[in-house]
Amino acid sequence: MKSLSFKRLWSPIKFLFKILIVVGVFVGLFSYAMFQGEFVSWFLFYSVATLVVLMLLYALIPLGSFVIERNVGDGALPSGSELTVDISVRRKWPFPFLYLTVEDEVGNAIREQMPSRQSRMIFYPTMKKKLTFSYTIPEVKRGEYEFLGFTLSTSDMFGIFEKRKFIALNSNVLVYPRYHNIERWSAYEKHDSETDISSKDFIEDVTSAAGAREYVPGDKLTSIDWKVTARTNKLMTKEFEEYIGQNFLIVFNNAIPDDHFGTVEAYEKGIELVTSIIMYAYTRHLDVGLWTLGSHKRQFELDTGGDHQKRMVKHLAQLKGDQHGDFAARLSESEVKVPSGVSMIIVSVELTRETLERVKVLVARRVQVYFALMDKGSEIDEWEKKRLQELRKTGVEVYQLSDGNIDKGVGKV
């Protein structure tokens, strides 16, 4: 408060001090011309006097009224898109400026994604009443971004009298998570040593498995039901039923162990996967719910429809990773709310001992659980590998995801 009061007091004193300096220069040159009395001294006096009068007029004339508009499109776009911001400045009366600086004041989250001073433009003397400029932010990241207003500034030719004005104009842009159109993805890709299963097959496994039958040549290898095969000693293939009327619940672990690059990237990939499943469910008219658990929890109950889908995706767009969250504790608090007969998909960047124990409880309650572990780009540690193997033994379908593909089975874990 003291600092703010001092600034308010110092501002008029500083302005008065500058005027005294200008007047002092004027009086000094006048005295010099009176005593010297030659052409050069009077020419210097009148030249400087003209500049002094212009400077004093510049100091006393207000900056004037401006009408500013900002166009950020419809205020929503997918992650990775190019965001173009168009600015128009209209002057109600032609203030005579040497230059006019217009800077779009933005929040820190969006400022970090653009080069320095990209949202700033300098206009030089012109008779135009409407001034326009635009700037572009390439590949904007997921999140909600705020634009605060505009700072207008100008000064005289010597920079002694500076005018500054802030015009508040709030705008918000919501950048939705990127998602994959699963219907267009290839079913699987064969490599020399293993088969990578795409997210389409993952969701097909989660939402559509109805039973099993004997393997027929030509069936996809990714559709083989290994559990039934082990029990019957026959190669069995999963059968899939119609999509309408099925229920599944997505549980997203919003707690992250650290802020390393690989962890943050895995977290973002997890949000992309969850968004892809939600969009897939919407196109298939599936009942889907979403829980995001960390320090806090947000729960969307099972439902269908466009409004439900939009609320969940908007929540995912605004979500931020929580290094202090306790996923296992939040999951424990919510276990009683798990609907019966639902298939649960857990998406996480880590598998802790506490999470493993909570999943075991869910399995004991006969909840069908699918666990998707996001690959952090580093070699999985031995303890987490053992927990994954232990989780698989309980009957949980375990997947490790990397770059949109899902590697299931022994190859990775």
Side-chain angles (χ1 to χ4, degrees), residues 202-232:
F202 170 62
I203 297 171
E204 189 177 69
D205 287 348
V206 174
T207 61
S208 312
R213 57 172 172 77
E214 288 193 32
Y215 176 81
V216 176
D219 288 345
K220 293 189 301 181
L221 296 178
T222 56
S223 298
I224 294 177
D225 194 327
W226 297 106
K227 294 180 182 177
V228 179
T229 298
R231 288 199 303 265
T232 61

mmCIF file of all heavy atoms in Angstrom, residues 202-232:
data_model
loop_
_atom_site.group_PDB
_atom_site.id
_atom_site.type_symbol
_atom_site.label_atom_id
_atom_site.label_comp_id
_atom_site.label_asym_id
_atom_site.label_seq_id
_atom_site.Cartn_x
_atom_site.Cartn_y
_atom_site.Cartn_z
ATOM 1 N N PHE A 202 -8.199 -51.058 -28.726
ATOM 2 C CA PHE A 202 -8.308 -50.928 -27.266
ATOM 3 C C PHE A 202 -9.743 -50.613 -26.865
ATOM 4 O O PHE A 202 -10.329 -51.264 -25.997
ATOM 5 C CB PHE A 202 -7.356 -49.828 -26.793
ATOM 6 C CG PHE A 202 -7.560 -49.440 -25.355
ATOM 7 C CD1 PHE A 202 -7.379 -50.362 -24.344
ATOM 8 C CD2 PHE A 202 -7.928 -48.155 -25.017
ATOM 9 C CE1 PHE A 202 -7.544 -50.012 -23.017
ATOM 10 C CE2 PHE A 202 -8.100 -47.793 -23.709
ATOM 11 C CZ PHE A 202 -7.910 -48.720 -22.707
ATOM 12 N N ILE A 203 -10.354 -49.643 -27.506
ATOM 13 C CA ILE A 203 -11.718 -49.262 -27.164
ATOM 14 C C ILE A 203 -12.697 -50.350 -27.570
ATOM 15 O O ILE A 203 -13.695 -50.605 -26.903
ATOM 16 C CB ILE A 203 -12.059 -47.917 -27.821
ATOM 17 C CG1 ILE A 203 -11.138 -46.839 -27.248
ATOM 18 C CG2 ILE A 203 -13.499 -47.528 -27.589
ATOM 19 C CD1 ILE A 203 -11.222 -45.524 -27.966
ATOM 20 N N GLU A 204 -12.397 -51.022 -28.665
ATOM 21 C CA GLU A 204 -13.246 -52.147 -29.077
ATOM 22 C C GLU A 204 -13.239 -53.234 -28.007
ATOM 23 O O GLU A 204 -14.270 -53.805 -27.655
ATOM 24 C CB GLU A 204 -12.748 -52.700 -30.414
ATOM 25 C CG GLU A 204 -13.677 -53.724 -31.036
ATOM 26 C CD GLU A 204 -13.166 -54.182 -32.390
ATOM 27 O OE1 GLU A 204 -12.126 -54.881 -32.411
ATOM 28 O OE2 GLU A 204 -13.782 -53.848 -33.396
ATOM 29 N N ASP A 205 -12.049 -53.491 -27.443
ATOM 30 C CA ASP A 205 -11.952 -54.481 -26.372
ATOM 31 C C ASP A 205 -12.756 -54.043 -25.157
ATOM 32 O O ASP A 205 -13.432 -54.842 -24.504
ATOM 33 C CB ASP A 205 -10.488 -54.670 -25.960
ATOM 34 C CG ASP A 205 -9.707 -55.441 -27.013
ATOM 35 O OD1 ASP A 205 -10.331 -56.014 -27.915
ATOM 36 O OD2 ASP A 205 -8.464 -55.452 -26.919
ATOM 37 N N VAL A 206 -12.681 -52.746 -24.833
ATOM 38 C CA VAL A 206 -13.309 -52.257 -23.612
ATOM 39 C C VAL A 206 -14.826 -52.219 -23.727
ATOM 40 O O VAL A 206 -15.554 -52.564 -22.795
ATOM 41 C CB VAL A 206 -12.774 -50.839 -23.289
ATOM 42 C CG1 VAL A 206 -13.520 -50.252 -22.100
ATOM 43 C CG2 VAL A 206 -11.290 -50.907 -22.984
ATOM 44 N N THR A 207 -15.327 -51.801 -24.891
ATOM 45 C CA THR A 207 -16.758 -51.513 -24.987
ATOM 46 C C THR A 207 -17.586 -52.598 -25.639
ATOM 47 O O THR A 207 -18.811 -52.554 -25.560
ATOM 48 C CB THR A 207 -16.966 -50.214 -25.792
ATOM 49 O OG1 THR A 207 -16.432 -50.402 -27.110
ATOM 50 C CG2 THR A 207 -16.254 -49.054 -25.138
ATOM 51 N N SER A 208 -16.938 -53.563 -26.310
ATOM 52 C CA SER A 208 -17.723 -54.401 -27.201
ATOM 53 C C SER A 208 -17.623 -55.896 -26.964
ATOM 54 O O SER A 208 -18.287 -56.654 -27.664
ATOM 55 C CB SER A 208 -17.320 -54.106 -28.652
ATOM 56 O OG SER A 208 -17.300 -52.723 -28.867
ATOM 57 N N ALA A 209 -16.756 -56.356 -26.080
ATOM 58 C CA ALA A 209 -16.581 -57.798 -25.915
ATOM 59 C C ALA A 209 -17.843 -58.429 -25.334
ATOM 60 O O ALA A 209 -18.336 -58.031 -24.298
ATOM 61 C CB ALA A 209 -15.400 -58.075 -25.012
ATOM 62 N N ALA A 210 -18.391 -59.423 -26.059
ATOM 63 C CA ALA A 210 -19.620 -60.059 -25.598
ATOM 64 C C ALA A 210 -19.420 -61.528 -25.271
ATOM 65 O O ALA A 210 -20.172 -62.100 -24.491
ATOM 66 C CB ALA A 210 -20.705 -59.921 -26.662
ATOM 67 N N GLY A 211 -18.410 -62.158 -25.853
ATOM 68 C CA GLY A 211 -18.187 -63.570 -25.614
ATOM 69 C C GLY A 211 -16.974 -64.038 -26.393
ATOM 70 O O GLY A 211 -16.143 -63.240 -26.796
ATOM 71 N N ALA A 212 -16.869 -65.363 -26.593
ATOM 72 C CA ALA A 212 -15.720 -65.910 -27.316
ATOM 73 C C ALA A 212 -16.168 -67.088 -28.155
ATOM 74 O O ALA A 212 -17.144 -67.774 -27.836
ATOM 75 C CB ALA A 212 -14.637 -66.342 -26.330
ATOM 76 N N ARG A 213 -15.443 -67.319 -29.237
ATOM 77 C CA ARG A 213 -15.690 -68.450 -30.103
ATOM 78 C C ARG A 213 -14.341 -68.973 -30.582
ATOM 79 O O ARG A 213 -13.304 -68.346 -30.355
ATOM 80 C CB ARG A 213 -16.540 -68.027 -31.306
ATOM 81 C CG ARG A 213 -15.940 -66.905 -32.123
ATOM 82 C CD ARG A 213 -16.711 -66.647 -33.389
ATOM 83 N NE ARG A 213 -16.243 -65.457 -34.089
ATOM 84 C CZ ARG A 213 -15.144 -65.379 -34.831
ATOM 85 N NH1 ARG A 213 -14.354 -66.460 -34.959
ATOM 86 N NH2 ARG A 213 -14.788 -64.269 -35.428
ATOM 87 N N GLU A 214 -14.366 -70.140 -31.226
ATOM 88 C CA GLU A 214 -13.107 -70.701 -31.703
ATOM 89 C C GLU A 214 -12.520 -69.839 -32.817
ATOM 90 O O GLU A 214 -13.234 -69.249 -33.622
ATOM 91 C CB GLU A 214 -13.324 -72.138 -32.214
ATOM 92 C CG GLU A 214 -13.571 -73.144 -31.121
ATOM 93 C CD GLU A 214 -13.456 -74.561 -31.641
ATOM 94 O OE1 GLU A 214 -12.656 -74.785 -32.576
ATOM 95 O OE2 GLU A 214 -14.156 -75.436 -31.107
ATOM 96 N N TYR A 215 -11.193 -69.813 -32.832
ATOM 97 C CA TYR A 215 -10.463 -69.021 -33.815
ATOM 98 C C TYR A 215 -10.702 -69.557 -35.224
ATOM 99 O O TYR A 215 -10.703 -70.759 -35.461
ATOM 100 C CB TYR A 215 -8.968 -69.040 -33.484
ATOM 101 C CG TYR A 215 -8.108 -68.331 -34.513
ATOM 102 C CD1 TYR A 215 -7.975 -66.951 -34.503
ATOM 103 C CD2 TYR A 215 -7.431 -69.066 -35.483
ATOM 104 C CE1 TYR A 215 -7.187 -66.307 -35.430
ATOM 105 C CE2 TYR A 215 -6.637 -68.426 -36.431
ATOM 106 C CZ TYR A 215 -6.523 -67.040 -36.390
ATOM 107 O OH TYR A 215 -5.730 -66.406 -37.323
ATOM 108 N N VAL A 216 -10.944 -68.623 -36.149
ATOM 109 C CA VAL A 216 -11.123 -68.959 -37.562
ATOM 110 C C VAL A 216 -10.039 -68.236 -38.345
ATOM 111 O O VAL A 216 -9.778 -67.054 -38.088
ATOM 112 C CB VAL A 216 -12.518 -68.525 -38.066
ATOM 113 C CG1 VAL A 216 -12.656 -68.790 -39.563
ATOM 114 C CG2 VAL A 216 -13.606 -69.233 -37.289
ATOM 115 N N PRO A 217 -9.348 -68.931 -39.255
ATOM 116 C CA PRO A 217 -8.317 -68.248 -40.049
ATOM 117 C C PRO A 217 -8.865 -66.978 -40.697
ATOM 118 O O PRO A 217 -9.939 -66.988 -41.292
ATOM 119 C CB PRO A 217 -7.932 -69.302 -41.114
ATOM 120 C CG PRO A 217 -8.240 -70.606 -40.451
ATOM 121 C CD PRO A 217 -9.447 -70.366 -39.605
ATOM 122 N N GLY A 218 -8.116 -65.878 -40.508
ATOM 123 C CA GLY A 218 -8.560 -64.585 -41.003
ATOM 124 C C GLY A 218 -8.968 -63.642 -39.900
ATOM 125 O O GLY A 218 -9.056 -62.424 -40.109
ATOM 126 N N ASP A 219 -9.246 -64.216 -38.675
ATOM 127 C CA ASP A 219 -9.550 -63.355 -37.543
ATOM 128 C C ASP A 219 -8.329 -62.524 -37.172
ATOM 129 O O ASP A 219 -7.187 -62.970 -37.305
ATOM 130 C CB ASP A 219 -9.980 -64.186 -36.320
ATOM 131 C CG ASP A 219 -11.361 -64.792 -36.502
ATOM 132 O OD1 ASP A 219 -12.069 -64.333 -37.417
ATOM 133 O OD2 ASP A 219 -11.712 -65.708 -35.736
ATOM 134 N N LYS A 220 -8.576 -61.298 -36.645
ATOM 135 C CA LYS A 220 -7.471 -60.448 -36.216
ATOM 136 C C LYS A 220 -6.771 -61.067 -35.007
ATOM 137 O O LYS A 220 -7.419 -61.558 -34.080
ATOM 138 C CB LYS A 220 -7.975 -59.054 -35.840
ATOM 139 C CG LYS A 220 -8.506 -58.253 -37.010
ATOM 140 C CD LYS A 220 -8.774 -56.821 -36.618
ATOM 141 C CE LYS A 220 -9.778 -56.726 -35.484
ATOM 142 N NZ LYS A 220 -10.064 -55.322 -35.125
ATOM 143 N N LEU A 221 -5.459 -61.012 -35.004
ATOM 144 C CA LEU A 221 -4.705 -61.519 -33.856
ATOM 145 C C LEU A 221 -5.009 -60.728 -32.603
ATOM 146 O O LEU A 221 -4.947 -61.243 -31.480
ATOM 147 C CB LEU A 221 -3.205 -61.486 -34.166
ATOM 148 C CG LEU A 221 -2.725 -62.385 -35.313
ATOM 149 C CD1 LEU A 221 -1.228 -62.203 -35.535
ATOM 150 C CD2 LEU A 221 -3.037 -63.838 -35.008
ATOM 151 N N THR A 222 -5.321 -59.428 -32.781
ATOM 152 C CA THR A 222 -5.609 -58.589 -31.616
ATOM 153 C C THR A 222 -6.924 -58.941 -30.941
ATOM 154 O O THR A 222 -7.208 -58.457 -29.850
ATOM 155 C CB THR A 222 -5.639 -57.109 -32.033
ATOM 156 O OG1 THR A 222 -6.585 -56.943 -33.086
ATOM 157 C CG2 THR A 222 -4.276 -56.665 -32.526
ATOM 158 N N SER A 223 -7.785 -59.747 -31.600
ATOM 159 C CA SER A 223 -9.082 -60.119 -31.028
ATOM 160 C C SER A 223 -9.037 -61.446 -30.285
ATOM 161 O O SER A 223 -10.062 -61.899 -29.775
ATOM 162 C CB SER A 223 -10.138 -60.198 -32.139
ATOM 163 O OG SER A 223 -10.306 -58.945 -32.757
ATOM 164 N N ILE A 224 -7.881 -62.078 -30.219
ATOM 165 C CA ILE A 224 -7.771 -63.367 -29.523
ATOM 166 C C ILE A 224 -7.958 -63.149 -28.024
ATOM 167 O O ILE A 224 -7.356 -62.261 -27.431
ATOM 168 C CB ILE A 224 -6.415 -64.029 -29.801
ATOM 169 C CG1 ILE A 224 -6.310 -64.402 -31.287
ATOM 170 C CG2 ILE A 224 -6.226 -65.268 -28.932
ATOM 171 C CD1 ILE A 224 -4.973 -64.988 -31.677
ATOM 172 N N ASP A 225 -8.819 -63.942 -27.406
ATOM 173 C CA ASP A 225 -9.049 -63.886 -25.963
ATOM 174 C C ASP A 225 -8.116 -64.894 -25.303
ATOM 175 O O ASP A 225 -8.381 -66.103 -25.263
ATOM 176 C CB ASP A 225 -10.516 -64.210 -25.648
ATOM 177 C CG ASP A 225 -10.893 -63.852 -24.223
ATOM 178 O OD1 ASP A 225 -10.013 -63.967 -23.350
ATOM 179 O OD2 ASP A 225 -12.040 -63.448 -23.999
ATOM 180 N N TRP A 226 -6.992 -64.387 -24.782
ATOM 181 C CA TRP A 226 -5.947 -65.262 -24.250
ATOM 182 C C TRP A 226 -6.390 -65.957 -22.962
ATOM 183 O O TRP A 226 -5.952 -67.070 -22.669
ATOM 184 C CB TRP A 226 -4.673 -64.465 -24.008
ATOM 185 C CG TRP A 226 -4.109 -63.911 -25.289
ATOM 186 C CD1 TRP A 226 -4.130 -62.625 -25.713
ATOM 187 C CD2 TRP A 226 -3.447 -64.652 -26.320
ATOM 188 N NE1 TRP A 226 -3.544 -62.501 -26.941
ATOM 189 C CE2 TRP A 226 -3.106 -63.742 -27.340
ATOM 190 C CE3 TRP A 226 -3.126 -66.001 -26.494
ATOM 191 C CZ2 TRP A 226 -2.446 -64.125 -28.498
ATOM 192 C CZ3 TRP A 226 -2.464 -66.394 -27.645
ATOM 193 C CH2 TRP A 226 -2.130 -65.459 -28.642
ATOM 194 N N LYS A 227 -7.251 -65.309 -22.188
ATOM 195 C CA LYS A 227 -7.705 -65.933 -20.932
ATOM 196 C C LYS A 227 -8.554 -67.175 -21.229
ATOM 197 O O LYS A 227 -8.353 -68.244 -20.624
ATOM 198 C CB LYS A 227 -8.517 -64.928 -20.120
ATOM 199 C CG LYS A 227 -7.707 -63.741 -19.610
ATOM 200 C CD LYS A 227 -8.608 -62.801 -18.829
ATOM 201 C CE LYS A 227 -7.822 -61.590 -18.370
ATOM 202 N NZ LYS A 227 -8.683 -60.619 -17.655
ATOM 203 N N VAL A 228 -9.499 -67.022 -22.137
ATOM 204 C CA VAL A 228 -10.358 -68.159 -22.487
ATOM 205 C C VAL A 228 -9.535 -69.228 -23.187
ATOM 206 O O VAL A 228 -9.748 -70.432 -22.986
ATOM 207 C CB VAL A 228 -11.527 -67.691 -23.377
ATOM 208 C CG1 VAL A 228 -12.408 -68.864 -23.778
ATOM 209 C CG2 VAL A 228 -12.350 -66.630 -22.662
ATOM 210 N N THR A 229 -8.565 -68.825 -24.000
ATOM 211 C CA THR A 229 -7.683 -69.772 -24.686
ATOM 212 C C THR A 229 -6.923 -70.625 -23.678
ATOM 213 O O THR A 229 -6.771 -71.839 -23.839
ATOM 214 C CB THR A 229 -6.694 -69.015 -25.592
ATOM 215 O OG1 THR A 229 -7.430 -68.297 -26.592
ATOM 216 C CG2 THR A 229 -5.735 -69.968 -26.261
ATOM 217 N N ALA A 230 -6.430 -69.967 -22.588
ATOM 218 C CA ALA A 230 -5.682 -70.707 -21.558
ATOM 219 C C ALA A 230 -6.573 -71.702 -20.827
ATOM 220 O O ALA A 230 -6.124 -72.794 -20.451
ATOM 221 C CB ALA A 230 -5.063 -69.712 -20.577
ATOM 222 N N ARG A 231 -7.843 -71.364 -20.636
ATOM 223 C CA ARG A 231 -8.751 -72.245 -19.906
ATOM 224 C C ARG A 231 -9.184 -73.437 -20.749
ATOM 225 O O ARG A 231 -9.359 -74.539 -20.248
ATOM 226 C CB ARG A 231 -9.982 -71.463 -19.428
ATOM 227 C CG ARG A 231 -9.715 -70.494 -18.294
ATOM 228 C CD ARG A 231 -11.009 -70.122 -17.568
ATOM 229 N NE ARG A 231 -11.994 -69.552 -18.503
ATOM 230 C CZ ARG A 231 -12.157 -68.256 -18.703
ATOM 231 N NH1 ARG A 231 -11.369 -67.392 -18.057
ATOM 232 N NH2 ARG A 231 -13.078 -67.818 -19.535
ATOM 233 N N THR A 232 -9.403 -73.215 -22.026
ATOM 234 C CA THR A 232 -9.976 -74.264 -22.882
ATOM 235 C C THR A 232 -8.939 -75.023 -23.705
ATOM 236 O O THR A 232 -9.282 -76.022 -24.358
ATOM 237 C CB THR A 232 -11.005 -73.637 -23.839
ATOM 238 O OG1 THR A 232 -10.338 -72.674 -24.662
ATOM 239 C CG2 THR A 232 -12.120 -72.950 -23.063
#
